[in-house]
Amino acid sequence: MEGAFKTYKAPLSKSLLLVPSAISILLTLLFQHYQKFFAYNLQAIKEDFQIWRLVCGRVICLDLKDTFCSSLLIYNFRIFERRYGSRKFSSFLLGAWTLSALFDLLLVEAAQYVFGITINSLPSGFLGPVFALFVPFYCSIPRVQVTQVLGYFSITNKTLVYILGLQLLTSGSYIWILALSGLISGICYNSSILKVHRILCVPSWVAKIFSWTLEPIFSSAEPTNEIRVGMGATVDIQRQQRMELLDRQIMMSQVAQMRRQRQQQGGMINWNRLFPPLRHRHNENYQDHHPSDQDTPPPTEVSEEQVARLMEMGFSRGDALEALRASNNDLNVATNFLLQH
Protein backbone atom coordinates (compact mmCIF):
# COMPACT_ATOMS: atom_id res chain seq x y z
CA MET A 1 0.00 0.00 0.00
CA GLU A 2 2.84 2.40 0.80
CA GLY A 3 4.04 2.82 -2.77
CA ALA A 4 0.58 3.61 -4.08
CA PHE A 5 -0.14 5.90 -1.15
CA LYS A 6 2.75 8.22 -1.92
CA THR A 7 1.45 9.50 -5.28
CA TYR A 8 -2.20 8.39 -5.11
CA LYS A 9 -4.60 11.22 -6.09
CA ALA A 10 -1.71 13.61 -6.84
CA PRO A 11 -1.02 13.39 -10.60
CA LEU A 12 0.08 17.03 -10.92
CA SER A 13 2.59 16.68 -8.10
CA LYS A 14 3.92 13.52 -9.69
CA SER A 15 4.35 15.25 -13.06
CA LEU A 16 6.15 18.19 -11.40
CA LEU A 17 8.45 15.69 -9.74
CA LEU A 18 9.31 13.69 -12.85
CA VAL A 19 9.29 16.00 -15.86
CA PRO A 20 11.32 19.03 -14.67
CA SER A 21 13.76 16.79 -12.79
CA ALA A 22 14.37 14.64 -15.87
CA ILE A 23 14.90 17.69 -18.10
CA SER A 24 17.24 19.25 -15.53
CA ILE A 25 19.36 16.11 -15.37
CA LEU A 26 19.51 15.83 -19.17
CA LEU A 27 20.54 19.48 -19.53
CA THR A 28 23.26 19.04 -16.93
CA LEU A 29 24.71 15.77 -18.21
CA LEU A 30 24.06 15.61 -21.95
CA PHE A 31 22.83 18.89 -23.39
CA GLN A 32 24.87 21.61 -21.68
CA HIS A 33 24.80 23.77 -24.82
CA TYR A 34 21.01 24.13 -24.45
CA GLN A 35 21.20 25.47 -20.90
CA LYS A 36 21.41 29.05 -22.15
CA PHE A 37 17.77 28.84 -23.29
CA PHE A 38 16.64 28.10 -19.71
CA ALA A 39 18.71 30.79 -17.99
CA TYR A 40 16.70 33.34 -16.01
CA ASN A 41 18.48 36.32 -17.60
CA LEU A 42 16.87 39.55 -16.42
CA GLN A 43 19.13 41.73 -18.56
CA ALA A 44 17.99 39.94 -21.70
CA ILE A 45 14.37 40.31 -20.61
CA LYS A 46 14.59 44.06 -19.95
CA GLU A 47 17.00 45.15 -22.68
CA ASP A 48 16.33 42.67 -25.49
CA PHE A 49 12.66 42.09 -24.61
CA GLN A 50 13.14 38.32 -24.50
CA ILE A 51 9.88 37.80 -22.63
CA TRP A 52 10.02 34.07 -23.33
CA ARG A 53 12.75 33.80 -20.71
CA LEU A 54 10.12 34.55 -18.04
CA VAL A 55 8.66 31.16 -18.98
CA CYS A 56 11.69 29.03 -19.82
CA GLY A 57 13.84 30.48 -17.06
CA ARG A 58 11.24 29.86 -14.36
CA VAL A 59 10.41 26.22 -15.01
CA ILE A 60 13.61 24.13 -15.18
CA CYS A 61 16.36 24.23 -12.54
CA LEU A 62 19.89 24.36 -13.94
CA ASP A 63 21.44 23.52 -10.57
CA LEU A 64 20.98 19.89 -9.51
CA LYS A 65 20.99 20.88 -5.82
CA ASP A 66 18.01 23.15 -6.46
CA THR A 67 16.35 20.37 -8.45
CA PHE A 68 16.77 17.90 -5.61
CA CYS A 69 15.52 20.25 -2.87
CA SER A 70 12.56 21.58 -4.87
CA SER A 71 11.53 18.03 -5.84
CA LEU A 72 11.53 16.94 -2.20
CA LEU A 73 9.46 19.97 -1.26
CA ILE A 74 6.92 19.30 -4.03
CA TYR A 75 6.71 15.72 -2.81
CA ASN A 76 5.87 16.94 0.70
CA PHE A 77 3.43 19.56 -0.60
CA ARG A 78 1.45 16.94 -2.56
CA ILE A 79 -0.89 16.87 0.42
CA PHE A 80 -2.53 20.06 -0.88
CA GLU A 81 -3.43 18.40 -4.18
CA ARG A 82 -5.04 15.50 -2.30
CA ARG A 83 -6.89 17.85 -0.02
CA TYR A 84 -8.13 20.47 -2.51
CA GLY A 85 -8.03 18.63 -5.83
CA SER A 86 -5.78 18.99 -8.87
CA ARG A 87 -7.60 21.97 -10.34
CA LYS A 88 -7.43 24.13 -7.23
CA PHE A 89 -3.84 23.08 -6.60
CA SER A 90 -2.82 23.92 -10.17
CA SER A 91 -4.64 27.26 -9.89
CA PHE A 92 -2.60 28.12 -6.81
CA LEU A 93 0.63 27.20 -8.62
CA LEU A 94 -0.37 29.22 -11.69
CA GLY A 95 -1.28 32.25 -9.58
CA ALA A 96 1.89 32.06 -7.50
CA TRP A 97 4.04 31.52 -10.60
CA THR A 98 2.55 34.57 -12.35
CA LEU A 99 2.66 36.86 -9.33
CA SER A 100 6.18 35.84 -8.39
CA ALA A 101 7.42 36.82 -11.88
CA LEU A 102 6.13 40.34 -11.25
CA PHE A 103 7.56 40.49 -7.75
CA ASP A 104 10.93 39.20 -9.02
CA LEU A 105 11.28 42.24 -11.27
CA LEU A 106 10.05 44.64 -8.58
CA LEU A 107 12.43 43.27 -5.93
CA VAL A 108 15.39 43.42 -8.31
CA GLU A 109 14.65 47.06 -9.05
CA ALA A 110 14.16 47.75 -5.33
CA ALA A 111 17.51 46.10 -4.48
CA GLN A 112 19.26 48.21 -7.09
CA TYR A 113 17.59 51.41 -5.88
CA VAL A 114 18.11 50.84 -2.12
CA PHE A 115 21.38 48.89 -1.95
CA GLY A 116 22.93 49.73 -5.30
CA ILE A 117 23.08 46.01 -6.26
CA THR A 118 22.86 45.24 -9.96
CA ILE A 119 21.33 41.81 -10.55
CA ASN A 120 21.46 40.58 -14.13
CA SER A 121 20.25 37.02 -13.57
CA LEU A 122 18.46 34.90 -10.98
CA PRO A 123 18.52 31.15 -10.27
CA SER A 124 16.38 29.22 -12.73
CA GLY A 125 13.59 26.85 -11.86
CA PHE A 126 10.07 26.46 -10.53
CA LEU A 127 11.16 28.08 -7.27
CA GLY A 128 8.63 30.88 -6.79
CA PRO A 129 5.59 28.58 -6.47
CA VAL A 130 7.58 26.17 -4.29
CA PHE A 131 8.30 28.94 -1.77
CA ALA A 132 4.70 30.15 -2.10
CA LEU A 133 3.46 26.74 -0.90
CA PHE A 134 5.08 27.41 2.47
CA VAL A 135 2.26 29.90 3.17
CA PRO A 136 -0.62 27.36 3.18
CA PHE A 137 1.76 24.82 4.73
CA TYR A 138 2.37 27.13 7.69
CA CYS A 139 -1.26 28.25 7.98
CA SER A 140 -3.24 25.05 7.47
CA ILE A 141 -1.03 22.11 8.46
CA PRO A 142 -1.11 21.46 12.23
CA ARG A 143 2.09 20.75 14.12
CA VAL A 144 2.44 17.21 15.46
CA GLN A 145 5.37 16.70 17.80
CA VAL A 146 7.53 13.70 16.94
CA THR A 147 10.26 13.95 19.56
CA GLN A 148 12.41 16.37 21.53
CA VAL A 149 16.13 17.11 21.35
CA LEU A 150 17.86 17.71 24.70
CA GLY A 151 14.42 18.06 26.25
CA TYR A 152 13.97 21.61 24.91
CA PHE A 153 13.82 21.59 21.11
CA SER A 154 10.72 20.01 19.63
CA ILE A 155 10.94 18.03 16.39
CA THR A 156 7.60 18.06 14.58
CA ASN A 157 6.19 16.65 11.37
CA LYS A 158 6.97 20.01 9.73
CA THR A 159 10.62 20.32 10.77
CA LEU A 160 12.09 18.43 7.81
CA VAL A 161 10.14 20.56 5.33
CA TYR A 162 11.44 23.77 6.90
CA ILE A 163 14.99 22.41 6.84
CA LEU A 164 14.64 21.63 3.13
CA GLY A 165 13.33 25.14 2.53
CA LEU A 166 16.30 26.61 4.41
CA GLN A 167 18.68 24.46 2.37
CA LEU A 168 17.10 25.70 -0.85
CA LEU A 169 17.23 29.29 0.41
CA THR A 170 20.97 29.12 1.02
CA SER A 171 21.88 27.36 -2.24
CA GLY A 172 22.42 30.54 -4.30
CA SER A 173 23.43 34.18 -4.02
CA TYR A 174 20.16 35.82 -5.03
CA ILE A 175 17.73 33.02 -4.34
CA TRP A 176 16.41 35.05 -1.40
CA ILE A 177 14.71 37.28 -3.99
CA LEU A 178 12.85 34.28 -5.40
CA ALA A 179 11.97 33.13 -1.89
CA LEU A 180 10.64 36.55 -0.88
CA SER A 181 8.64 36.99 -4.08
CA GLY A 182 7.25 33.47 -3.70
CA LEU A 183 6.17 34.09 -0.11
CA ILE A 184 4.54 37.40 -1.04
CA SER A 185 2.75 35.68 -3.94
CA GLY A 186 1.56 32.89 -1.64
CA ILE A 187 0.23 35.40 0.87
CA CYS A 188 -1.59 37.35 -1.86
CA TYR A 189 -3.17 34.23 -3.32
CA ASN A 190 -3.90 32.47 -0.03
CA SER A 191 -5.51 35.55 1.57
CA SER A 192 -7.55 36.35 -1.57
CA ILE A 193 -6.16 39.88 -1.76
CA LEU A 194 -7.78 41.77 -4.66
CA LYS A 195 -9.59 38.52 -5.58
CA VAL A 196 -6.45 37.20 -7.27
CA HIS A 197 -7.67 33.61 -6.97
CA ARG A 198 -10.64 34.43 -9.21
CA ILE A 199 -8.49 35.95 -11.95
CA LEU A 200 -5.48 33.64 -11.93
CA CYS A 201 -7.12 30.25 -12.00
CA VAL A 202 -7.23 27.25 -14.30
CA PRO A 203 -10.49 27.20 -16.31
CA SER A 204 -12.64 24.13 -15.92
CA TRP A 205 -12.33 23.22 -19.62
CA VAL A 206 -8.54 23.29 -19.38
CA ALA A 207 -8.69 21.13 -16.27
CA LYS A 208 -10.87 18.63 -18.13
CA ILE A 209 -8.46 18.46 -21.07
CA PHE A 210 -5.51 17.73 -18.77
CA SER A 211 -7.64 15.27 -16.84
CA TRP A 212 -8.38 13.31 -20.03
CA THR A 213 -4.85 13.47 -21.47
CA LEU A 214 -2.20 13.74 -18.75
CA GLU A 215 -3.90 12.35 -15.65
CA PRO A 216 -3.97 8.74 -16.96
CA ILE A 217 -0.20 8.99 -17.49
CA PHE A 218 0.80 10.43 -14.12
CA SER A 219 -1.95 9.16 -11.83
CA SER A 220 -1.31 6.18 -9.57
CA ALA A 221 -3.67 3.26 -9.17
CA GLU A 222 -6.02 3.33 -6.22
CA PRO A 223 -4.83 1.07 -3.39
CA THR A 224 -6.80 -2.19 -3.40
CA ASN A 225 -5.22 -4.44 -0.79
CA GLU A 226 -5.39 -2.30 2.32
CA ILE A 227 -3.42 -3.36 5.37
CA ARG A 228 -4.39 -1.67 8.57
CA VAL A 229 -1.48 0.34 9.96
CA GLY A 230 -1.35 0.80 13.71
CA MET A 231 0.40 3.51 15.62
CA GLY A 232 3.39 1.30 16.36
CA ALA A 233 4.81 -0.10 19.54
CA THR A 234 8.06 1.87 19.61
CA VAL A 235 9.08 5.48 19.20
CA ASP A 236 11.01 4.65 16.02
CA ILE A 237 7.95 3.15 14.36
CA GLN A 238 5.80 6.10 15.40
CA ARG A 239 8.38 8.53 14.02
CA GLN A 240 8.52 6.73 10.69
CA GLN A 241 4.74 6.65 10.40
CA ARG A 242 4.46 10.33 11.22
CA MET A 243 6.91 11.22 8.49
CA GLU A 244 5.44 8.91 5.85
CA LEU A 245 1.72 9.36 6.60
CA LEU A 246 1.39 13.13 6.91
CA ASP A 247 -2.29 13.09 6.01
CA ARG A 248 -3.03 10.75 8.86
CA GLN A 249 -1.16 12.90 11.35
CA ILE A 250 -3.17 15.94 10.36
CA MET A 251 -6.38 14.07 11.03
CA MET A 252 -5.08 12.74 14.33
CA SER A 253 -4.20 16.25 15.46
CA GLN A 254 -7.69 17.45 14.61
CA VAL A 255 -9.21 14.48 16.45
CA ALA A 256 -7.08 15.15 19.53
CA GLN A 257 -8.19 18.77 19.56
CA MET A 258 -11.81 17.70 19.20
CA ARG A 259 -11.42 15.23 22.08
CA ARG A 260 -9.96 17.91 24.36
CA GLN A 261 -12.85 20.22 23.55
CA ARG A 262 -15.33 17.51 24.43
CA GLN A 263 -13.52 16.80 27.70
CA GLN A 264 -13.62 20.48 28.61
CA GLN A 265 -17.34 20.45 27.95
CA GLY A 266 -17.68 17.45 30.26
CA GLY A 267 -19.08 15.12 27.63
CA MET A 268 -17.51 11.89 26.43
CA ILE A 269 -18.77 9.86 23.50
CA ASN A 270 -20.23 6.49 24.25
CA TRP A 271 -18.56 4.50 21.49
CA ASN A 272 -20.41 1.33 22.49
CA ARG A 273 -23.67 3.07 21.78
CA LEU A 274 -22.60 4.72 18.53
CA PHE A 275 -20.67 1.83 16.96
CA PRO A 276 -22.15 -1.51 18.08
CA PRO A 277 -21.62 -3.20 14.68
CA LEU A 278 -17.87 -2.64 14.83
CA ARG A 279 -17.52 -3.45 18.51
CA HIS A 280 -19.60 -6.61 18.48
CA ARG A 281 -19.66 -7.87 14.93
CA HIS A 282 -17.84 -11.05 16.07
CA ASN A 283 -19.75 -11.38 19.34
CA GLU A 284 -22.52 -13.95 19.30
CA ASN A 285 -24.27 -12.34 22.30
CA TYR A 286 -24.83 -9.24 20.24
CA GLN A 287 -27.07 -11.16 17.87
CA ASP A 288 -29.62 -11.64 20.67
CA HIS A 289 -30.08 -7.88 20.94
CA HIS A 290 -29.91 -7.11 17.23
CA PRO A 291 -33.04 -5.21 16.08
CA SER A 292 -35.36 -6.82 13.58
CA ASP A 293 -35.19 -6.05 9.90
CA GLN A 294 -38.41 -4.04 10.11
CA ASP A 295 -37.01 -1.72 12.79
CA THR A 296 -33.63 -1.28 11.10
CA PRO A 297 -33.40 2.06 9.26
CA PRO A 298 -32.09 2.08 5.69
CA PRO A 299 -28.28 2.24 5.48
CA THR A 300 -26.76 5.72 5.28
CA GLU A 301 -25.32 6.63 1.89
CA VAL A 302 -21.57 6.87 2.31
CA SER A 303 -19.44 9.44 0.53
CA GLU A 304 -16.77 7.74 -1.58
CA GLU A 305 -14.50 10.72 -1.04
CA GLN A 306 -14.66 10.19 2.73
CA VAL A 307 -14.00 6.47 2.25
CA ALA A 308 -10.94 7.29 0.13
CA ARG A 309 -9.63 9.66 2.82
CA LEU A 310 -9.86 6.94 5.47
CA MET A 311 -8.29 4.35 3.16
CA GLU A 312 -5.39 6.74 2.49
CA MET A 313 -4.81 6.81 6.24
CA GLY A 314 -4.36 3.05 6.29
CA PHE A 315 -7.80 1.71 7.21
CA SER A 316 -9.50 -1.03 5.24
CA ARG A 317 -12.48 -0.22 3.04
CA GLY A 318 -14.82 -2.35 5.15
CA ASP A 319 -13.95 -0.59 8.39
CA ALA A 320 -14.16 2.80 6.69
CA LEU A 321 -17.65 2.05 5.31
CA GLU A 322 -19.02 0.82 8.64
CA ALA A 323 -17.51 3.71 10.61
CA LEU A 324 -18.89 6.31 8.20
CA ARG A 325 -22.34 4.72 8.17
CA ALA A 326 -22.44 4.61 11.96
CA SER A 327 -21.25 8.22 12.27
CA ASN A 328 -23.57 9.55 9.55
CA ASN A 329 -20.65 10.48 7.29
CA ASP A 330 -18.85 12.46 10.03
CA LEU A 331 -15.21 11.99 9.06
CA ASN A 332 -13.78 13.23 12.37
CA VAL A 333 -15.97 10.95 14.50
CA ALA A 334 -15.30 7.94 12.25
CA THR A 335 -11.56 8.56 12.32
CA ASN A 336 -11.55 8.98 16.09
CA PHE A 337 -13.22 5.62 16.55
CA LEU A 338 -11.01 3.79 14.06
CA LEU A 339 -7.86 5.15 15.71
CA GLN A 340 -9.02 3.98 19.13
CA HIS A 341 -10.21 0.51 18.12
Side-chain angles (χ1 to χ4, degrees):
M1 183 198 73
E2 183 179 354
F5 173 83
K6 290 181 178 179
T7 55
Y8 172 55
K9 298 182 71 174
L12 179 59
S13 300
K14 187 176 181 180
S15 64
L16 291 175
L17 276 172
L18 298 178
V19 178
S21 299
I23 296 176
S24 177
I25 294 173
L26 290 175
L27 289 173
T28 302
L29 300 180
L30 300 178
F31 305 104
Q32 293 91 344
H33 52 286
Y34 288 113
Q35 288 186 353
K36 60 183 179 180
F37 297 108
F38 296 92
Y40 193 7
N41 192 327
L42 298 177
Q43 185 177 4
I45 294 173
K46 292 185 292 185
E47 297 180 1
D48 301 332
F49 298 101
Q50 297 180 2
I51 307 300
W52 55 271
R53 290 190 179 274
L54 284 173
V55 178
C56 297
R58 304 182 65 250
V59 176
I60 306 299
C61 291
L62 298 180
D63 191 329
L64 289 183
K65 296 191 302 294
D66 295 346
T67 302
F68 179 73
C69 291
S70 59
S71 297
L72 287 178
L73 287 171
I74 291 174
Y75 172 79
N76 282 278
F77 290 145
R78 74 198 186 283
I79 181 177
F80 295 114
E81 184 175 6
R82 287 208 202 98
R83 177 181 291 187
Y84 302 125
S86 296
R87 183 191 173 190
K88 189 172 182 180
F89 182 65
S90 60
S91 296
F92 180 90
L93 294 179
L94 174 64
W97 186 82
T98 306
L99 290 175
S100 61
L102 174 63
F103 289 125
D104 285 348
L105 300 176
L106 293 177
L107 289 173
V108 167
E109 295 297 328
Q112 184 175 4
Y113 179 80
V114 176
F115 303 107
I117 303 175
T118 301
I119 303 175
N120 294 323
S121 63
L122 290 173
S124 303
F126 198 68
L127 303 178
V130 170
F131 283 109
L133 285 168
F134 276 97
V135 176
F137 182 76
Y138 174 80
C139 297
S140 62
I141 303 299
R143 295 171 66 253
V144 178
Q145 181 173 316
V146 177
T147 186
Q148 282 188 333
V149 178
L150 302 177
Y152 298 99
F153 304 100
S154 296
I155 304 298
T156 70
N157 59 319
K158 303 171 73 172
T159 302
L160 178 60
V161 178
Y162 289 134
I163 292 176
L164 286 173
L166 183 61
Q167 174 64 34
L168 184 60
L169 179 63
T170 57
S171 63
S173 301
Y174 299 116
I175 202 169
W176 62 269
I177 293 180
L178 301 176
L180 185 57
S181 66
L183 292 174
I184 296 174
S185 303
I187 293 173
C188 292
Y189 201 95
N190 199 53
S191 59
S192 303
I193 296 177
L194 301 178
K195 305 297 181 181
V196 177
H197 65 286
R198 294 186 178 180
I199 302 173
L200 299 175
C201 63
V202 176
S204 58
W205 62 272
V206 175
K208 289 180 180 179
I209 291 176
F210 279 95
S211 177
W212 295 334
T213 56
L214 297 182
E215 187 172 346
I217 300 175
F218 294 104
S219 61
S220 300
E222 181 178 358
T224 54
N225 298 325
E226 296 293 331
I227 302 174
R228 180 158 182 167
V229 180
M231 285 304 298
T234 66
V235 176
D236 292 336
I237 296 177
Q238 292 180 6
R239 183 183 299 115
Q240 181 181 1
Q241 290 176 340
R242 287 189 176 98
M243 298 305 295
E244 292 294 332
L245 306 179
L246 183 58
D247 286 340
R248 179 173 180 177
Q249 296 305 316
I250 293 171
M251 188 61 66
M252 288 176 61
S253 177
Q254 295 174 348
V255 167
Q257 183 178 3
M258 181 182 63
R259 190 185 302 120
R260 287 194 298 268
Q261 292 175 355
R262 288 199 180 100
Q263 289 176 351
Q264 291 175 359
Q265 296 173 358
M268 296 299 293
I269 297 178
N270 186 352
W271 296 111
N272 293 331
R273 177 176 58 84
L274 287 178
F275 295 95
L278 288 177
R279 295 280 298 179
H280 303 282
R281 56 187 173 186
H282 298 301
N283 190 346
E284 295 180 357
N285 295 329
Y286 174 71
Q287 301 296 332
D288 299 335
H289 305 284
H290 196 281
S292 61
D293 295 338
Q294 297 179 353
D295 298 333
T296 303
T300 305
E301 185 177 355
V302 177
S303 170
E304 286 297 327
E305 181 180 358
Q306 307 284 49
V307 174
R309 289 288 300 274
L310 290 175
M311 291 174 65
E312 289 172 10
M313 290 156 47
F315 302 112
S316 67
R317 179 176 179 84
D319 286 348
L321 287 172
E322 292 192 37
L324 286 171
R325 288 195 185 102
S327 61
N328 196 22
N329 268 330
D330 191 319
L331 183 61
N332 288 333
V333 175
T335 306
N336 199 359
F337 175 78
L338 290 172
L339 290 175
Q340 291 183 359
H341 298 79

